[in-house]
Amino acid sequence: MDRFLDTLKPQTLHLDGYDDGSSFLSIAFYFWYEKAVPSDVLETAFYRTLEEFPILAGRIKTGNDSRSFVAVDKNRLNMPEYTDSSCNVHFQTLKDADFDVRLLPVDYSSACKTPVPPAIIGDCIRLAEFHVLRMKDNSGMCIFASISHAILDGTGYCIFMRRWADISKCMLVAQNQQGILDMNIPERVYQHDRSILESDKICGSDALEPELLEMFNKSTTAAKWIAWFSPELRGRIFRYLMSVSDVRNYYFQLSSAAFEHLVQLIQPFVDSDISHLSANDVISALATVLFAQAMHKAGRLEGEAVYLTNIIADARPRLKQLAGANYTGNAVLPKTAVSMLEPILQDSIPQALATVSCSIRRAVDGLDERYCEQMGHMINRNPCGYVDLVLGITKMDNTLVAINHTRFGYYEADFGSGSPALVRPAFLIFENDFVIMPGRPSVGGYELAFTMVPEVARNMMESEYWQYIH
């Protein structure tokens, strides 16, 4: 850590509307490894990585304009919490139980239950927490990594984890060959400055869906209050709401064979104007149909004519200024696919899935540079912008929020002992959230993570569509 402190320079990072809306949430995953890496290697590599991400040692503050910024002050650091401990549970026991964290020590598993930054210290949210837990007889390890969503989005999170892993692997090689922990680490340059997203273009709103424009244009009192609150107060309120909520996380697998069977089933019903369907289209359609049917059975879609699938997409490949920039800040935005509810509830499995898959594909095809620029303008035009959007896409029963994490490279995080056996979200955020993860290397396919109340979960598992998920 001494080297990190020596290289640290005072700095301020101004956050934008994308960041503000997520400033009270965290991104957290479990990384499970069948072989452990020595403690000294992991910790030294961690602080070397922190040299390239010094903002994680800063403090989130709110200016007079309700905009947030992160200040890194060498005399008032807000260091990430880093812990390395052991437990009496063997890795094989966890593996046989499908990595159920309830088998782990309470102080490890209970810290990971809510998507709120892990600790609020005085007047400051801790921006990151890392806990390396070593299994009995050194049989493996689990790394719990939680980072404030205000600082990094999913892509940025994976950039950090892969960088930490790469440095650890280099150091482990050096230690094995030369008996030292240091060596020449390949240089990387990361873009943390949010100004890269700024544009002088005059943006309209013609590329945005009416549903999204309504959320922006009908700013609620709740959104204005939340935008005015400090990130710390938002975090405390959200932590309380999560503590009294009955929402739970559920994890399932979709095998490669089951996925291919789904694709073959729906192919005859795909609209002629659709040239191809991605895996994300089909799997998000499956989740949409499952959620819609389960919510309808629970009596929560009365009077609804449509069901919305909000695809959370990455703007990086769509904005020229982000091309090759290694940008780590928030650059995700929603695109809404609208499907009529009646066919979802009444059509055959192949027809319903094909209809929703095509709706999602058309929505994603509309995610171009103009859409991203207009969305960015709407989000940043006032401090309430992103709060209006977050409240809008998460408070409605007829909405699924679908997030695809298959392209982020989680399984490339090899700390020197091999790729992870499993990478899994520690939690999702709101009811009706859905995440697609790459399947674990040993089985392939996809890992699916759902957030729902138990009644909806029971309804979902009784659906005839459930035969495709294990």
Side-chain angles (χ1 to χ4, degrees):
M1 189 166 86
D2 290 342
R3 173 179 163 138
F4 167 72
L5 295 175
D6 290 340
T7 61
L8 188 64
K9 297 179 180 178
Q11 55 193 282
T12 300
L13 176 69
H14 292 278
L15 304 181
D16 61 13
Y18 292 102
D19 305 312
D20 270 336
S22 305
S23 62
F24 56 101
L25 303 176
S26 284
I27 303 175
F29 284 82
Y30 297 108
F31 292 73
W32 297 90
Y33 294 87
E34 296 198 56
K35 293 182 180 179
V37 175
S39 299
D40 58 343
V41 174
L42 271 184
E43 185 171 3
T44 304
F46 171 77
Y47 287 108
R48 285 291 297 271
T49 309
L50 205 59
E51 293 174 22
E52 300 172 9
F53 293 79
I55 207 70
L56 292 180
R59 294 169 177 260
I60 289 187
K61 300 181 180 181
T62 304
N64 294 331
D65 59 354
S66 294
R67 293 294 192 190
S68 299
F69 62 94
V70 180
V72 180
D73 182 346
K74 204 167 185 177
N75 297 317
R76 295 193 71 220
L77 288 178
N78 176 31
M79 291 296 293
E81 182 172 329
Y82 185 92
T83 307
D84 194 310
S85 64
S86 301
C87 71
N88 291 321
V89 183
H90 199 280
F91 188 88
Q92 189 61 47
T93 302
L94 271 300
K95 190 175 181 179
D96 292 342
D98 195 32
F99 301 97
D100 188 341
V101 295
R102 291 174 296 182
L103 297 177
L104 299 177
V106 173
D107 64 342
Y108 188 79
S109 59
S110 64
C112 316
K113 288 183 177 177
T114 59
V116 182
I120 299 177
I121 307 166
D123 62 344
C124 184
I125 286 181
R126 192 190 297 280
L127 299 184
E129 178 183 3
F130 304 88
H131 192 153
V132 180
L133 186 66
R134 300 175 184 279
M135 304 300 136
K136 183 179 181 180
D137 300 328
N138 205 33
S139 55
M141 68 179 185
C142 179
I143 299 177
F144 170 73
S146 174
I147 301 177
S148 170
H149 207 323
I151 309 304
L152 308 174
D153 64 3
T155 298
Y157 178 96
C158 277
I159 288 174
F160 178 91
M161 294 301 295
R162 292 200 310 269
R163 182 58 169 166
W164 180 15
D166 289 345
I167 293 175
S168 171
K169 192 173 184 178
C170 287
M171 289 184 166
L172 193 60
V173 170
Q175 184 184 58
N176 291 337
Q177 293 179 350
Q178 306 168 26
I180 59 174
L181 272 184
D182 211 349
M183 67 175 297
N184 293 323
I185 306 297
E187 184 177 348
R188 298 285 186 274
V189 177
Y190 301 106
Q191 176 60 264
H192 307 304
D193 189 349
R194 272 53 174 175
S195 64
I196 192 174
L197 286 172
E198 295 177 1
S199 174
D200 295 329
K201 290 183 180 179
I202 299 175
C203 294
S205 59
D206 58 297
L208 305 182
E209 302 94 330
E211 294 81 7
L212 287 176
L213 285 175
E214 184 177 2
M215 295 175 197
F216 284 121
N217 293 329
K218 289 187 176 180
S219 184
T220 64
T221 301
K224 293 175 182 176
W225 274 100
I226 292 172
W228 179 76
F229 290 157
S230 69
E232 294 79 26
L233 182 54
R234 294 179 207 166
R236 288 190 175 96
I237 292 172
F238 196 77
R239 186 182 293 278
Y240 169 76
L241 293 176
M242 290 295 295
S243 71
V244 299
S245 171
D246 197 24
V247 171
R248 302 177 188 177
N249 295 334
Y250 297 84
Y251 304 101
F252 305 100
Q253 295 181 48
L254 177 67
S255 68
S256 297
F259 171 73
E260 292 300 330
H261 181 57
L262 278 175
V263 173
Q264 292 174 8
L265 275 179
I266 70 175
Q267 199 59 49
F269 302 96
V270 174
D271 295 339
S272 58
D273 64 313
I274 302 296
S275 60
H276 78 285
L277 292 173
S278 69
N280 182 60
D281 299 336
V282 176
I283 298 172
S284 295
L286 176 61
T288 298
V289 172
L290 285 168
F291 264 110
Q293 288 191 340
M295 294 289 282
H296 180 264
K297 189 174 180 180
R300 293 176 58 179
L301 294 181
E302 295 295 331
E304 298 290 355
V306 299
Y307 198 85
L308 309 179
T309 309
N310 279 305
I311 304 296
I312 306 301
D314 190 352
R316 287 171 178 81
R318 298 168 172 94
L319 291 174
K320 296 183 180 68
Q321 64 266 41
L322 296 184
N326 264 346
Y327 181 63
T328 61
N330 284 280
V332 293
L333 41 80
K335 190 72 168 72
T336 303
V338 181
S339 302
M340 299 305 296
L341 187 57
E342 185 176 351
I344 292 178
L345 301 177
Q346 297 183 5
D347 281 357
S348 66
I349 291 177
Q351 288 175 306
L353 286 179
T355 298
V356 179
S357 295
C358 291
S359 175
I360 291 173
R361 173 42 42 193
R362 292 189 185 95
V364 175
D365 283 344
L367 263 167
D368 55 15
E369 184 177 24
R370 186 165 61 99
Y371 179 92
C372 293
E373 289 175 345
Q374 291 185 7
M375 179 63 74
H377 172 71
M378 295 296 289
I379 288 171
N380 283 295
R381 66 177 181 171
N382 66 67
C384 300
Y386 202 81
V387 180
D388 289 325
L389 184 61
V390 170
L391 292 179
I393 67 175
T394 58
K395 70 180 181 180
M396 297 182 292
D397 287 341
N398 68 326
T399 300
L400 171 72
V401 178
I403 309 168
N404 182 4
H405 280 240
T406 59
R407 302 184 182 96
F408 291 173
Y410 287 97
Y411 286 94
E412 296 172 19
D414 176 2
F415 287 84
S417 62
S419 298
L422 174 68
V423 180
R424 174 175 284 172
F427 42 65
L428 303 182
I429 299 176
F430 300 104
E431 184 182 5
N432 293 8
D433 271 7
F434 169 66
V435 172
I436 308 172
M437 292 288 294
R440 57 195 80 181
S442 60
V443 297
Y446 302 90
E447 296 272 337
L448 310 181
F450 296 83
T451 301
M452 48 194 168
V453 296
E455 180 187 9
V456 173
R458 287 192 298 271
N459 293 344
M460 184 180 289
M461 294 176 199
E462 292 171 358
S463 168
E464 59 179 319
Y465 289 74
W466 196 252
Q467 62 183 296
Y468 300 104
I469 298 178
H470 307 286

